Amino acid sequence: MAMAALRREGRRFVPLISPQPISAVQSSLISQEQVPLGVRSISTQIVRNRMKSVKNIQKITKAMKMVAASKLRAIQIKAENSRGIWQPFTALLGDNPSVDVKKNVIITVSSDKGLCGGINSTSVKMSKALQKLTSGPEKQSTYVILGEKAKAQFIRDSKNNIELCITELQRNPLNYTQVSVLADDILKNVEYDALRIVFNKFHSVVSFPPTVATILSPETVERESESGGNLGELDSYEIEGGETKGEILQNLAEFQFSCVMFNAVLENACSEQGARMSAMDSSSRNAGEMLDRLTLTYNRTRQASITTELIEIISGASALKG
């Protein structure tokens, strides 16, 4: 009861005590006008709420990292197996990124979801740079976009150059049948001399450089072959049977495009999951550092509040003695 009496008497002398110890700690969290004199728990409550929010965010980022890691292992096997499909076509028809043609179609492969770093922005920048290089007075360069993220960036400044947009490609597990139907739709809706596929090639979890794969039309392949262009090992083969060279090149070009598209989509999906793993790992570490700083702020604020309470009690006791 004596302690309760001291507390009651101490509150009478609160206006005589300088509030500086409290305001110095609370200045970074809440303005002094919002803190009524004598209120002790507002600043610590704000810090506790912030700590709770950061902990919840950290749990979400850790869970997203684990999900991305599990998806990456599954897609990586498919991507590695798909590399053996398009390599024979590259050896046969070659890959000529510097070929000069009139109609260029740039196919930009991106993701439908975010939180995966800057891989989508890198693909868009590469596509725009490629469009500037292949444009000219007598040349035409247009876009075919795969993925919601690239679509949102291209619509802002290159809307007139977009011929086709395809989204939600990864709603179902990726397979060759799905991608071959997609490739057939692209070939039916665009006119081209060269198809240039821009995607992120997966090397490791932290390395996925942007890559360009070039697919030439059958007419361009035949013209390059006649003019002595670099077309791999095509000229070393002889054509037998009833089919003409143009028909064979048509079939080869369509099959090559579907195979390269299949590999590009898988490589980009692999890069997306790897980038998401890195981004979520960085977010989790940043949340941990923020929690450490908030814990220190909370302890200091709580200690300042306790010290102020003791000063009030001692001041009240001294006043009673006097």
Side-chain angles (χ1 to χ4, degrees), residues 26 36 41 51 69 94 107 113 148 162 164 169 173 200 247 249 253 301:
Q26 291 175 343
S41 61
M51 290 171 64
I107 303 174
K113 298 179 181 179
E148 191 68 39
I162 299 174
L164 187 63
L169 182 62
N200 294 280
E247 294 174 347
L249 289 177
T301 306

PDB file of all heavy atoms in Angstrom, residues 26 36 41 51 69 94 107 113 148 162 164 169 173 200 247 249 253 301:
ATOM      1  N   GLN A  26      11.012   8.415 -28.827  1.00  0.00           N
ATOM      2  CA  GLN A  26       9.799   8.311 -29.627  1.00  0.00           C
ATOM      3  C   GLN A  26       9.840   9.163 -30.889  1.00  0.00           C
ATOM      4  O   GLN A  26       8.964   9.033 -31.738  1.00  0.00           O
ATOM      5  CB  GLN A  26       8.592   8.747 -28.795  1.00  0.00           C
ATOM      6  CG  GLN A  26       8.254   7.775 -27.658  1.00  0.00           C
ATOM      7  CD  GLN A  26       7.128   8.312 -26.810  1.00  0.00           C
ATOM      8  OE1 GLN A  26       6.823   9.492 -26.859  1.00  0.00           O
ATOM      9  NE2 GLN A  26       6.499   7.442 -26.048  1.00  0.00           N
ATOM     10  N   PRO A  36       0.295  11.846 -25.635  1.00  0.00           N
ATOM     11  CA  PRO A  36      -0.144  12.592 -24.447  1.00  0.00           C
ATOM     12  C   PRO A  36       0.820  12.370 -23.297  1.00  0.00           C
ATOM     13  O   PRO A  36       1.424  11.307 -23.173  1.00  0.00           O
ATOM     14  CB  PRO A  36      -1.526  11.983 -24.144  1.00  0.00           C
ATOM     15  CG  PRO A  36      -1.937  11.292 -25.409  1.00  0.00           C
ATOM     16  CD  PRO A  36      -0.680  10.845 -26.052  1.00  0.00           C
ATOM     17  N   SER A  41       2.921   3.361 -23.211  1.00  0.00           N
ATOM     18  CA  SER A  41       2.943   2.135 -24.003  1.00  0.00           C
ATOM     19  C   SER A  41       2.702   2.345 -25.498  1.00  0.00           C
ATOM     20  O   SER A  41       2.653   1.387 -26.226  1.00  0.00           O
ATOM     21  CB  SER A  41       1.871   1.169 -23.478  1.00  0.00           C
ATOM     22  OG  SER A  41       0.589   1.747 -23.589  1.00  0.00           O
ATOM     23  N   MET A  51       7.175  -5.316 -35.596  1.00  0.00           N
ATOM     24  CA  MET A  51       7.917  -6.580 -35.497  1.00  0.00           C
ATOM     25  C   MET A  51       7.046  -7.757 -35.913  1.00  0.00           C
ATOM     26  O   MET A  51       7.503  -8.683 -36.602  1.00  0.00           O
ATOM     27  CB  MET A  51       8.432  -6.776 -34.067  1.00  0.00           C
ATOM     28  CG  MET A  51       9.540  -5.821 -33.670  1.00  0.00           C
ATOM     29  SD  MET A  51       9.936  -5.901 -31.913  1.00  0.00           S
ATOM     30  CE  MET A  51      10.553  -7.579 -31.792  1.00  0.00           C
ATOM     31  N   ALA A  69      12.225 -23.517 -54.985  1.00  0.00           N
ATOM     32  CA  ALA A  69      13.278 -24.533 -55.054  1.00  0.00           C
ATOM     33  C   ALA A  69      12.725 -25.872 -55.524  1.00  0.00           C
ATOM     34  O   ALA A  69      13.349 -26.567 -56.346  1.00  0.00           O
ATOM     35  CB  ALA A  69      13.941 -24.690 -53.685  1.00  0.00           C
ATOM     36  N   GLY A  94      22.241 -24.084 -88.843  1.00  0.00           N
ATOM     37  CA  GLY A  94      23.021 -22.987 -88.296  1.00  0.00           C
ATOM     38  C   GLY A  94      22.168 -22.017 -87.493  1.00  0.00           C
ATOM     39  O   GLY A  94      20.939 -22.100 -87.442  1.00  0.00           O
ATOM     40  N   ILE A 107      10.397 -12.546 -80.668  1.00  0.00           N
ATOM     41  CA  ILE A 107       9.550 -13.261 -79.704  1.00  0.00           C
ATOM     42  C   ILE A 107      10.194 -13.146 -78.332  1.00  0.00           C
ATOM     43  O   ILE A 107      11.268 -13.697 -78.092  1.00  0.00           O
ATOM     44  CB  ILE A 107       9.378 -14.736 -80.111  1.00  0.00           C
ATOM     45  CG1 ILE A 107       8.796 -14.834 -81.520  1.00  0.00           C
ATOM     46  CG2 ILE A 107       8.495 -15.467 -79.115  1.00  0.00           C
ATOM     47  CD1 ILE A 107       8.725 -16.242 -82.055  1.00  0.00           C
ATOM     48  N   LYS A 113       4.175 -14.133 -63.575  1.00  0.00           N
ATOM     49  CA  LYS A 113       4.183 -13.700 -62.178  1.00  0.00           C
ATOM     50  C   LYS A 113       5.461 -12.926 -61.897  1.00  0.00           C
ATOM     51  O   LYS A 113       6.479 -13.116 -62.561  1.00  0.00           O
ATOM     52  CB  LYS A 113       4.083 -14.902 -61.234  1.00  0.00           C
ATOM     53  CG  LYS A 113       2.802 -15.706 -61.393  1.00  0.00           C
ATOM     54  CD  LYS A 113       2.780 -16.884 -60.448  1.00  0.00           C
ATOM     55  CE  LYS A 113       1.512 -17.715 -60.605  1.00  0.00           C
ATOM     56  NZ  LYS A 113       1.487 -18.880 -59.702  1.00  0.00           N
ATOM     57  N   GLU A 148       2.842 -12.196 -69.107  1.00  0.00           N
ATOM     58  CA  GLU A 148       2.143 -10.986 -68.685  1.00  0.00           C
ATOM     59  C   GLU A 148       3.104  -9.844 -68.362  1.00  0.00           C
ATOM     60  O   GLU A 148       2.799  -8.671 -68.607  1.00  0.00           O
ATOM     61  CB  GLU A 148       1.287 -11.301 -67.460  1.00  0.00           C
ATOM     62  CG  GLU A 148       0.317 -10.209 -67.070  1.00  0.00           C
ATOM     63  CD  GLU A 148      -0.792 -10.017 -68.089  1.00  0.00           C
ATOM     64  OE1 GLU A 148      -1.281 -11.016 -68.637  1.00  0.00           O
ATOM     65  OE2 GLU A 148      -1.162  -8.852 -68.329  1.00  0.00           O
ATOM     66  N   ILE A 162       3.315  -4.444 -81.591  1.00  0.00           N
ATOM     67  CA  ILE A 162       2.964  -5.761 -81.060  1.00  0.00           C
ATOM     68  C   ILE A 162       1.987  -6.447 -82.015  1.00  0.00           C
ATOM     69  O   ILE A 162       0.941  -5.887 -82.345  1.00  0.00           O
ATOM     70  CB  ILE A 162       2.343  -5.643 -79.654  1.00  0.00           C
ATOM     71  CG1 ILE A 162       3.348  -5.017 -78.684  1.00  0.00           C
ATOM     72  CG2 ILE A 162       1.905  -7.011 -79.145  1.00  0.00           C
ATOM     73  CD1 ILE A 162       2.772  -4.737 -77.311  1.00  0.00           C
ATOM     74  N   LEU A 164       1.204 -10.018 -81.520  1.00  0.00           N
ATOM     75  CA  LEU A 164       0.528 -11.112 -80.834  1.00  0.00           C
ATOM     76  C   LEU A 164       0.993 -11.157 -79.391  1.00  0.00           C
ATOM     77  O   LEU A 164       2.185 -10.979 -79.103  1.00  0.00           O
ATOM     78  CB  LEU A 164       0.833 -12.443 -81.538  1.00  0.00           C
ATOM     79  CG  LEU A 164       0.078 -13.691 -81.067  1.00  0.00           C
ATOM     80  CD1 LEU A 164      -1.413 -13.539 -81.309  1.00  0.00           C
ATOM     81  CD2 LEU A 164       0.611 -14.930 -81.779  1.00  0.00           C
ATOM     82  N   LEU A 169       0.888 -19.015 -69.968  1.00  0.00           N
ATOM     83  CA  LEU A 169       1.469 -20.181 -70.634  1.00  0.00           C
ATOM     84  C   LEU A 169       1.784 -21.297 -69.638  1.00  0.00           C
ATOM     85  O   LEU A 169       1.706 -22.479 -69.973  1.00  0.00           O
ATOM     86  CB  LEU A 169       2.748 -19.768 -71.377  1.00  0.00           C
ATOM     87  CG  LEU A 169       3.464 -20.850 -72.180  1.00  0.00           C
ATOM     88  CD1 LEU A 169       2.558 -21.378 -73.285  1.00  0.00           C
ATOM     89  CD2 LEU A 169       4.761 -20.305 -72.770  1.00  0.00           C
ATOM     90  N   PRO A 173       1.428 -27.760 -66.546  1.00  0.00           N
ATOM     91  CA  PRO A 173       2.828 -28.172 -66.728  1.00  0.00           C
ATOM     92  C   PRO A 173       3.238 -28.132 -68.194  1.00  0.00           C
ATOM     93  O   PRO A 173       2.508 -28.577 -69.080  1.00  0.00           O
ATOM     94  CB  PRO A 173       2.842 -29.609 -66.178  1.00  0.00           C
ATOM     95  CG  PRO A 173       1.706 -29.657 -65.209  1.00  0.00           C
ATOM     96  CD  PRO A 173       0.650 -28.743 -65.769  1.00  0.00           C
ATOM     97  N   ASN A 200      15.837 -16.109 -71.257  1.00  0.00           N
ATOM     98  CA  ASN A 200      16.911 -16.215 -70.277  1.00  0.00           C
ATOM     99  C   ASN A 200      17.375 -17.666 -70.212  1.00  0.00           C
ATOM    100  O   ASN A 200      16.599 -18.553 -69.849  1.00  0.00           O
ATOM    101  CB  ASN A 200      16.431 -15.757 -68.893  1.00  0.00           C
ATOM    102  CG  ASN A 200      16.097 -14.282 -68.856  1.00  0.00           C
ATOM    103  OD1 ASN A 200      16.980 -13.443 -68.749  1.00  0.00           O
ATOM    104  ND2 ASN A 200      14.817 -13.961 -68.951  1.00  0.00           N
ATOM    105  N   GLU A 247      10.027 -27.812 -99.923  1.00  0.00           N
ATOM    106  CA  GLU A 247       9.135 -28.526 -99.003  1.00  0.00           C
ATOM    107  C   GLU A 247       9.896 -29.057 -97.792  1.00  0.00           C
ATOM    108  O   GLU A 247       9.405 -28.990 -96.650  1.00  0.00           O
ATOM    109  CB  GLU A 247       8.438 -29.666 -99.740  1.00  0.00           C
ATOM    110  CG  GLU A 247       7.473 -29.201-100.818  1.00  0.00           C
ATOM    111  CD  GLU A 247       6.920 -30.356-101.626  1.00  0.00           C
ATOM    112  OE1 GLU A 247       7.473 -31.479-101.519  1.00  0.00           O
ATOM    113  OE2 GLU A 247       5.932 -30.137-102.345  1.00  0.00           O
ATOM    114  N   LEU A 249      12.702 -27.835 -96.561  1.00  0.00           N
ATOM    115  CA  LEU A 249      13.076 -26.688 -95.733  1.00  0.00           C
ATOM    116  C   LEU A 249      11.887 -26.151 -94.944  1.00  0.00           C
ATOM    117  O   LEU A 249      12.046 -25.700 -93.800  1.00  0.00           O
ATOM    118  CB  LEU A 249      13.670 -25.586 -96.611  1.00  0.00           C
ATOM    119  CG  LEU A 249      15.053 -25.863 -97.204  1.00  0.00           C
ATOM    120  CD1 LEU A 249      15.477 -24.718 -98.118  1.00  0.00           C
ATOM    121  CD2 LEU A 249      16.084 -26.071 -96.103  1.00  0.00           C
ATOM    122  N   ALA A 253      12.023 -25.982 -90.988  1.00  0.00           N
ATOM    123  CA  ALA A 253      11.903 -24.690 -90.306  1.00  0.00           C
ATOM    124  C   ALA A 253      10.803 -24.730 -89.241  1.00  0.00           C
ATOM    125  O   ALA A 253      10.986 -24.224 -88.122  1.00  0.00           O
ATOM    126  CB  ALA A 253      11.620 -23.588 -91.317  1.00  0.00           C
ATOM    127  N   THR A 301      13.336   1.558 -26.048  1.00  0.00           N
ATOM    128  CA  THR A 301      12.122   2.297 -25.701  1.00  0.00           C
ATOM    129  C   THR A 301      11.531   1.799 -24.382  1.00  0.00           C
ATOM    130  O   THR A 301      11.101   2.588 -23.539  1.00  0.00           O
ATOM    131  CB  THR A 301      11.086   2.133 -26.824  1.00  0.00           C
ATOM    132  OG1 THR A 301      11.669   2.519 -28.066  1.00  0.00           O
ATOM    133  CG2 THR A 301       9.862   2.998 -26.562  1.00  0.00           C
TER     134      THR A 301
END
